[in-house]
């Protein structure tokens, strides 16, 4: 089993709020630090979405219950929520630059995208928007769809991308 949240929490602590974001004004830097603080402090997954292909061939998104198998360690100083998605074939840290437009695309394989810092937004073909902020996880299972687009926020983002290239959607 892949201990997803433990690794994500460790990475969130290690990624500075200004990682690979270029030149920011003091006001932008403060806004980015506030945006990142809650997830870095708790290491908890706050929201989880699942992208899938609808009957019409277009990407859809549903909210998923983030309840996983829990555990408390080191006298209550460390708590975990474990999800069993299988073992990823590749783990990537993604740095999205500020205010970047992300063109519509389907997932080329099953993947989990966890925002560690900054923000991004997913936009479906029907115009619905989903904010991805620190601690938000997107499980992408919309291979073969027309895709979804989006943008990075004013701070850009740092994300953990777990790729399951040999796995079919569950």
């Amino acid at each position: 089993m892949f201990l997803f949240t433990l690794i994500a929490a460790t990475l969130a602590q290690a990624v500075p709020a200004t990682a690979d974001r270029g030149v920011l004004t003091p006001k932008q830097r403060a806004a980015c630090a506030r945006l990142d603080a809650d997830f870095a402090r708790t290491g908890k997954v706050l929201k989880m979405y699942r992208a899938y292909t609808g009957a019409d061939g277009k990407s859809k998104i549903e909210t998923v219950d983030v309840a996983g198998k829990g555990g408390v360690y080191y006298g209550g100083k460390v708590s975990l929520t474990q999800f069993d998605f299988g073992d990823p074939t590749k783990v990537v840290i993604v740095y999205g630059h500020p205010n970047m437009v992300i063109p519509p695309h389907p997932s080329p394989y099953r993947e989990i995208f966890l925002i560690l810092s900054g923000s991004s937004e997913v936009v479906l073909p029907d115009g619905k928007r989903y904010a991805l902020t620190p601690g938000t996880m997107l499980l992408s299972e919309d291979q073969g769809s027309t895709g979804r687009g989006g943008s990075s926020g004013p701070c850009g983002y740092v994300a953990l991308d777990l790729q399951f290239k040999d796995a079919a959607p569950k």
Side-chain angles (χ1 to χ4, degrees):
M1 178 187 300
F2 187 74
L3 298 180
F4 181 78
T5 304
L6 177 61
I7 290 172
T10 302
L11 286 170
Q13 296 294 330
V15 176
T18 57
D20 200 66
R21 291 187 175 148
V23 178
L24 299 176
T25 67
K27 187 175 180 179
Q28 288 172 316
R29 194 173 304 279
C32 293
R34 282 191 306 275
L35 185 63
D36 299 344
D38 192 44
F39 180 62
R41 185 175 86 277
T42 67
K44 291 182 180 177
V45 174
L46 305 175
K47 288 183 194 169
M48 182 174 171
Y49 297 117
R50 176 179 167 262
Y52 64 96
T53 304
D56 60 359
K58 295 182 180 178
S59 289
K60 310 288 183 195
I61 289 185
E62 65 183 356
T63 302
V64 178
D65 181 10
V66 295
K69 179 182 167 190
V72 178
Y73 302 92
Y74 301 109
K77 294 181 181 178
V78 175
S79 61
L80 303 176
T81 302
Q82 300 176 22
F83 303 93
D84 188 8
F85 294 115
D87 294 326
T89 52
K90 189 180 279 188
V91 178
V92 179
I93 303 296
V94 180
Y95 300 92
H97 291 277
N99 302 311
M100 175 180 64
V101 174
I102 303 165
H105 64 285
S107 294
Y109 36 77
R110 186 168 174 254
E111 70 181 328
I112 294 171
F113 201 74
L114 173 68
I115 300 291
L116 300 175
S117 67
S119 64
S120 184
E121 182 178 62
V122 175
V123 181
L124 296 179
D126 65 5
K128 289 182 185 168
R129 298 175 176 275
Y130 296 85
L132 305 180
T133 57
T136 304
M137 184 166 49
L138 176 64
L139 170 60
S140 296
E141 297 181 324
D142 60 342
Q143 299 84 358
S145 73
T146 57
R148 56 196 146 66
S151 63
S152 61
C155 303
Y157 64 82
V158 178
L160 177 68
D161 184 24
L162 305 175
Q163 301 174 358
F164 301 85
K165 293 185 178 182
D166 300 330
K170 290 186 176 187

